[in-house]
Amino acid sequence: MSYGSYKSYKTTENMWVGEIPKEWDLIKMKFCFNLRGGYAFKSDDFVEEGACLIRIGDIKDGSVDLENCKKLPLEYSIMMKDFLVGAGDILIALTGATIGKIGQVPKTHKKILLNQRVGKLNSEYSTYYKYILESDFIQSQIKLISEGSAQDNISNEDIENFEILKVDDMTKISISNFLDNKTYEIDKNIEKNKELISLLEEKKNVLINQAVTKGLEKNVRMKNSGIKWIGEIPEHWELNRIKNTSYVKGRIGWHGLTSNEFSDEGAFLVTGTDFDNGCINWESCHHISYERYQQDPYIHLKNGDLLITKDGTIGKLALISNIPDKATLNSGIFLVRPVGESYLNEFLYWVLYSDVFKRYFDYIKTGSTISHLYQETFENFFFEIPPINEQIEIVDYLNTEILKINRVLDKVRENIYLLEEYRTSLIYHVVTGKIDVRGEI
């Protein structure tokens, strides 16, 4: 849909804003409202029931999560009125990974207090200023300033000194009403696409779990595997442990290899961050000298090898193919190869991808906070082993069906990206006067 423009424009010296309508001016935020900060409440103050405490993590995609926030004694809302938050107030994260994130407090009867490093503004035109703060020209400045600080911080004063557009009150109302309607439609579309992603991911999991535990034959006779994380399997399938069927190696120590030795040439060094949709992104890999590569022949990689991460995001998988040169492992990864011909690595890939391995890992870490996959734990994993011909059929089936689903997922994610880009662009063009929406609503 195309929109009109204002009658005439003038240039500004503000590189973030560019041209603005002739009747508009630039003004610093501090002349429009004050951005108040929160208080450094302590975790010792938290109680089961009481006043809500809004922290950085409670600001969620334009709104504020009041259901899962920490609670403070109700008397704090009387003693510390300067840090009370009201319905319609705009909140902004002033530090951390979500710096610049904006939320608006919903209508509520709850007593709400503000934690440190969260800023709030209250104005008769709070919604208009919410869109100003969300706009790309403000977010870009926040990013620039915060990246120049030691801990991704920005102060109230920094934001208050940003220049924004000085417009009349009726224009503020027109912009707010227009963007409320348009962003609601866009956000609703985004939410529908996210729901579709959830359904597709669920369908993908069902297909994988069914194939690796039940096979492709619908009327096959089943037996109890006797393994808690597996359940029933076809009667003619076998079970075995990784340690009885596989070669498993990881890099240990390796004579003090450090990142200072990484280079742009030599043998490829595969790290967990190089895993990309079940493959290795060879272009992102670091390199090490061939002398270093030769020091540990046990982890030299071959086409067909299966890799699984054991630290960080545990259980990420990759099958090795198209090795461009000699390659080896960095720490945090197990190399897995079948010993003998009992299974195919492509089949084990789907087993480890399935809920079977997730249930096993949950089972062995019950009651603990394990954040590492130990080799002994991994090698004791029992998994189901169909005859080789069935493994080939299952692998072919999953490769085909999951590829179809992944293609749809890619399109849906691309659609979400485009909707988010459109939302950002629309807000910027409206609040900077590039398009005139007066009279559109």
Side-chain angles (χ1 to χ4, degrees):
M1 182 177 180
S2 61
Y3 301 100
S5 58
Y6 290 81
K7 288 183 179 179
S8 58
Y9 288 83
K10 61 185 177 184
T11 58
T12 71
E13 294 181 0
N14 187 311
M15 61 177 287
W16 308 100
V17 175
E19 287 190 337
I20 61 173
K22 193 172 183 179
E23 62 267 33
W24 291 15
D25 287 305
L26 292 173
I27 186 172
K28 287 190 176 180
M29 279 194 192
K30 63 184 176 183
F31 298 120
C32 303
F33 57 78
N34 291 321
L35 193 64
R36 300 288 300 272
Y39 182 77
F41 293 99
K42 297 178 181 177
S43 58
D44 294 344
D45 297 329
F46 297 163
V47 293
E48 288 296 318
E49 296 293 333
C52 293
L53 176 63
I54 300 300
R55 302 184 296 173
I56 291 171
D58 298 316
I59 301 175
K60 308 282 187 183
D61 296 326
S63 63
V64 178
D65 183 1
L66 298 179
E67 298 302 318
N68 300 301
C69 60
K70 296 294 183 181
K71 305 293 191 300
L72 293 169
L74 274 174
E75 54 265 30
Y76 281 33
S77 62
I78 300 171
M79 297 162 47
M80 309 187 79
K81 290 184 178 179
D82 287 346
F83 304 104
L84 278 174
V85 178
D89 285 358
I90 306 303
L91 307 184
I92 179 171
L94 300 173
T95 192
T98 59
I99 191 166
K101 200 162 191 180
I102 308 297
Q104 187 165 22
V105 180
K107 292 180 180 179
T108 175
H109 297 294
K110 294 182 180 180
K111 297 291 185 181
I112 306 170
L113 290 158
L114 197 64
N115 203 36
Q116 65 175 341
R117 305 311 299 147
V118 181
K120 84 166 180 179
L121 74 90
N122 178 275
S123 163
E124 183 181 355
Y125 304 103
S126 288
T127 301
Y128 168 75
Y129 291 120
K130 178 190 77 167
Y131 290 119
I132 289 286
L133 289 169
E134 279 186 357
S135 69
D136 198 42
F137 81 91
I138 293 296
Q139 290 293 317
S140 295
Q141 292 177 79
I142 291 173
K143 184 178 180 182
L144 183 66
I145 291 175
S146 64
E147 286 179 347
S149 67
Q151 297 181 334
D152 285 344
N153 287 327
I154 191 165
S155 69
N156 296 20
E157 292 76 17
D158 286 330
I159 294 177
E160 287 179 339
N161 279 316
F162 290 156
E163 286 186 319
I164 60 173
L165 291 310
K166 182 181 179 182
V167 302
D168 63 70
D169 293 345
M170 288 305 297
T171 300
K172 290 174 187 173
I173 293 170
S174 295
I175 287 173
S176 298
N177 289 341
F178 174 83
L179 288 175
D180 277 349
N181 279 277
K182 291 302 176 183
T183 57
Y184 173 78
E185 291 173 8
I186 296 168
D187 292 343
K188 198 173 178 182
N189 260 328
I190 290 172
E191 190 57 38
K192 285 180 179 178
N193 278 277
K194 287 181 177 178
E195 288 172 3
L196 180 56
I197 285 175
S198 296
L199 291 171
L200 288 167
E201 291 288 2
E202 184 179 343
K203 180 180 179 180
K204 187 161 72 170
N205 285 338
V206 169
L207 282 177
I208 294 168
N209 293 330
Q210 178 75 21
V212 300
T213 59
K214 305 292 188 291
L216 305 180
E217 184 63 48
K218 290 184 179 180
N219 299 317
V220 68
R221 291 172 64 91
M222 305 294 287
K223 66 181 178 183
N224 190 339
S225 69
I227 308 297
K228 291 184 178 181
W229 53 88
I230 296 177
E232 287 192 333
I233 61 172
E235 199 172 54
H236 63 289
W237 286 19
E238 297 178 358
L239 291 166
N240 214 328
R241 285 189 173 101
I242 291 285
K243 68 179 179 181
N244 297 330
T245 59
S246 311
Y247 172 93
V248 179
K249 292 291 180 182
R251 183 173 76 74
I252 302 173
W254 202 3
H255 308 291
L257 179 73
T258 68
S259 59
N260 293 330
E261 298 179 66
F262 296 170
S263 66
D264 295 326
E265 56 185 22
F268 285 82
L269 181 68
V270 175
T271 303
T273 54
D274 302 317
F275 287 35
D276 184 12
N277 289 323
C279 302
I280 297 299
N281 180 359
W282 297 107
E283 292 184 1
S284 71
C285 292
H286 292 292
H287 297 259
I288 54 168
S289 69
Y290 290 113
E291 290 76 18
R292 272 297 204 183
Y293 164 82
Q294 293 293 352
Q295 286 176 351
D296 196 340
Y298 295 108
I299 53 173
H300 290 175
L301 300 181
K302 302 176 183 177
N303 285 321
D305 285 344
L306 175 60
L307 306 183
I308 181 169
T309 54
K310 58 191 179 78
D311 294 306
T313 305
I314 295 170
K316 284 176 66 178
L317 298 162
L319 282 164
I320 298 293
S321 62
N322 302 317
I323 298 181
D325 194 358
K326 293 179 172 61
T328 187
L329 291 181
N330 204 347
S331 58
I333 303 172
F334 286 135
L335 157 63
V336 187
R337 289 183 194 135
V339 174
E341 299 179 351
S342 62
Y343 73 87
L344 304 171
N345 251 354
E346 293 92 336
F347 176 75
L348 182 60
Y349 170 91
W350 289 114
V351 171
L352 296 175
Y353 191 99
S354 75
D355 287 343
V356 172
F357 184 70
K358 295 182 182 72
R359 288 195 293 265
Y360 168 70
F361 191 68
D362 288 341
Y363 173 76
I364 57 97
K365 73 173 186 179
T366 301
S368 71
T369 55
I370 295 173
S371 58
H372 177 88
L373 178 61
Y374 294 97
Q375 185 160 342
E376 181 182 6
T377 300
F378 180 62
E379 289 183 332
N380 279 322
F381 172 59
F382 264 109
F383 69 104
E384 54 281 16
I385 306 177
I388 289 293
N389 66 309
E390 283 191 56
Q391 291 183 42
I392 293 170
E393 290 175 357
I394 290 169
V395 167
D396 289 344
Y397 169 78
L398 289 176
N399 285 345
T400 301
E401 296 304 314
I402 301 306
L403 178 61
K404 290 177 185 176
I405 296 174
N406 284 342
R407 282 175 174 165
V408 178
L409 281 167
D410 287 343
K411 289 179 181 178
V412 177
R413 292 188 180 107
E414 174 68 12
N415 197 33
I416 290 174
Y417 172 78
L418 292 173
L419 286 166
E420 290 172 340
E421 286 288 296
Y422 173 62
R423 188 186 195 278
T424 299
S425 176
L426 184 65
I427 292 172
Y428 170 79
H429 281 83
V430 171
V431 300
T432 60
K434 305 299 184 289
I435 57 177
D436 183 1
V437 297
R438 295 173 300 177
E440 291 289 341
I441 298 298

